Amino acid sequence: MTIVDRKPAAGPVPHAMELPDRLPVGRFYDPDFYALEAEHLWSRTWQMACRLEEIPEPNDFVEYQILDQSVLVVRVDDGEVLAFQNVCRHRGMKLAGGQGRCEGGFTCSFHGWCYAPDGTNTFVPRAKTFAEHNLQRGDIDLAPVRCETWGGCAWINLSPDAPPLRDCIEPFATVQDAWNVEAYRVEWWHAFRVPANWRLAIEAFIEGYHVLESHPQLRIPGRFPPRDPTAFDPQSFIDAEIHYLRTMSEGMAGMMHASDVRIAEGMSDIELPGQYELARATWDRTFNDEVVRQHREAGHVMPDLNELDENGLNFTMFHCFPNFLILPMYSSASSYRFRPLGPEETLWEVWSLTRYPDGEVRPKPEPPEVWAHDDPRVPPIPTQDLSNLPRQQLGLHNASVEYLRLSEELEGGIANFEQTVDGFVAGRSYDELLPALRAVNVNPIEMPVVDLGLRP
């Protein structure tokens, strides 16, 4: 799919939302809607292109691909990170792929045009055979792409008119700063090809309504208040809480780190009050303090979890429009990135992020092999999520389904996300879009539906 000129959308947007709690199903498979996303959304949004760990040294580069657009992200000699269109200015040859090093810059394998790591053209073979107007200084350098760094990542935007990164990803950025997100390092990185629309895939994660039905192993007796308050048993509560943490660690394989489970297991004999609410508060505060203490003693940059609690920032899901998520839990996090491969196919990447001693050199993360959505190596909880998506994508084609019905209280994160998509697809101005971005770049779980004023 081609990302073309960033012109305002002509005419009505197909399958637009008429009500904020109803999603017309055609928007999840119609090629015309997909084409409008390419033209007006992916061409104008900030996207996480790579983790800075992938380009730790000068002359390291990574290719970022979104639809038909290929971008080179390069670290240059002064440590700055730059981005360029990945194409020779002679006859449109792609210059590089994957990740690697460009010690002498980039050389086009077709005719030998050369470019320095900072994009400057350094050599044109047989230059005297070209007319002067085809070799104007600057015009034959690699075309720059907007690039900024934040949160341990490099971000790109294909629009020269977009507001700065931070303006477009607040309040997500401020919340993640409080989590010391820049201190996370990659433990592992997986990728999956999912037979579902990219937005449908994201929406499987940004609501909590599905959790107990799709993930029955998380229905753990003893974690929640008993109907009879006198039946509460503090030790059973501790055992249930540790069982939950183990299940999350084994099931998510990244979000709940095994090191934090071991800390909880070491607290199995603490004394708790005999009343559920007090026991819950005591456990949470004590466990938070112990996680922080042990990680800081190990030399890790670690936020104060109880301070995050007090400031209303200690949630386990944060969405950054359009396609990036961080799921922090105690010391560590999972991070997701979703990219469309077609109207009904998605590349979903998952990073396990954790903390290491400050200054410790870690191996450069290598791009993963792309697995099928049903590969047996997929961890148990994502396996359950991924098993839903192909069936849902097929179900949307059923003639009886006109729209998806959203809970006003439990699925508002989806409604608000899709309204913002409509704003981009309709070609709305950044002045109109920024308030919507600030409404969706938050914790989406159990967010109420809000009319963002972007629908037709």
Side-chain angles (χ1 to χ4, degrees), residues 33 146-147 194 218 316 374 409:
F33 193 91
R146 295 277 300 281
C147 182
V194 184
L218 298 180
T316 58
D374 55 357
E409 296 182 10

Side-chain angles (χ1 to χ4, degrees), residues 121-445:
N121 181 278
T122 57
F123 180 64
V124 175
R126 302 184 66 184
K128 291 182 179 180
T129 68
F130 288 84
E132 184 178 346
H133 67 268
N134 275 329
L135 296 182
Q136 292 294 312
R137 186 181 298 274
D139 190 44
I140 58 172
D141 296 341
L142 295 183
V145 172
R146 295 277 300 281
C147 182
E148 295 188 33
T149 59
W150 170 83
C153 301
W155 301 70
I156 63 97
N157 195 314
L158 295 166
S159 171
D161 303 319
L165 170 67
R166 188 96 190 194
D167 290 355
C168 295
I169 65 170
E170 287 291 9
F172 175 86
T174 293
V175 173
Q176 295 307 314
D177 284 343
W179 276 89
N180 299 131
V181 67
E182 75 288 343
Y184 286 131
R185 295 293 178 266
V186 174
E187 185 174 37
W188 51 254
W189 176 12
H190 296 326
F192 312 96
R193 188 179 291 268
V194 184
N197 178 274
W198 72 276
R199 285 176 288 103
L200 204 69
I202 288 177
E203 289 160 15
F205 297 95
I206 61 172
E207 47 86 0
Y209 191 21
H210 74 284
V211 170
L212 293 183
E213 189 65 32
S214 293
H215 310 301
Q217 70 270 42
L218 298 180
R219 301 175 187 165
I220 299 173
R223 287 196 69 229
F224 302 102
R227 291 184 178 179
D228 177 4
T230 64
F232 176 70
D233 175 42
Q235 189 58 55
S236 295
F237 168 79
I238 293 172
D239 294 343
E241 194 68 14
I242 293 173
H243 177 47
Y244 166 73
L245 297 175
R246 287 178 185 144
T247 303
M248 283 296 295
S249 181
E250 294 164 3
M252 290 296 290
M255 180 178 173
M256 180 66 211
H257 202 272
S259 62
D260 295 335
V261 176
R262 289 192 291 271
I263 292 172
E265 290 168 344
M267 295 172 48
S268 61
D269 59 354
I270 70 166
E271 292 187 11
L272 295 180
Q275 195 266 341
Y276 174 83
E277 284 76 13
L278 291 176
R280 162 60 70 188
T282 303
W283 169 267
D284 287 346
R285 187 163 193 87
T286 305
F287 183 40
N288 284 346
D289 281 340
E290 191 62 15
V291 168
V292 172
R293 183 187 69 79
Q294 292 200 27
H295 280 278
R296 287 181 175 175
E297 284 184 355
H300 305 167
V301 176
M302 182 73 199
D304 185 323
L305 297 174
N306 282 319
E307 186 176 304
L308 291 176
D309 268 341
E310 291 164 8
N311 292 325
L313 304 178
N314 195 358
F315 296 104
T316 58
M317 171 71 73
F318 296 94
H319 182 194
C320 183
F321 188 91
N323 65 330
F324 185 65
L325 288 83
I326 294 181
L327 292 74
M329 198 167 180
Y330 300 104
S331 72
S332 304
S334 290
S335 182
Y336 298 166
R337 179 173 66 183
F338 299 81
R339 285 183 281 173
L341 300 176
E344 300 185 72
E345 190 170 32
T346 297
L347 177 65
W348 175 38
E349 293 162 278
V350 182
W351 289 263
S352 173
L353 305 176
T354 192
R355 301 176 193 271
Y356 295 93
D358 194 24
E360 178 180 310
V361 177
R362 297 284 304 156
K364 181 192 296 187
E366 298 291 334
E369 171 192 356
V370 179
W371 297 344
H373 75 284
D374 55 357
D375 190 288
R377 292 170 290 185
V378 180
I381 289 178
T383 290
Q384 293 164 328
D385 293 310
L386 290 172
S387 70
N388 289 333
L389 284 166
R391 291 182 293 157
Q392 185 184 16
Q393 186 70 45
L394 288 172
L396 299 184
H397 288 273
N398 193 291
S400 67
V401 183
E402 296 180 43
Y403 48 78
L404 309 185
R405 308 162 192 265
L406 301 178
S407 164
E408 291 187 6
E409 296 182 10
L410 301 177
E411 295 171 312
I414 295 174
N416 302 334
F417 168 51
E418 290 283 0
Q419 289 180 76
T420 308
V421 168
D422 271 7
F424 274 93
V425 168
R428 298 292 188 100
S429 71
Y430 284 112
D431 286 343
E432 296 173 284
L433 293 167
L434 283 175
L437 290 173
R438 294 185 182 114
V440 298
N441 287 332
V442 292
N443 166 36
I445 304 298

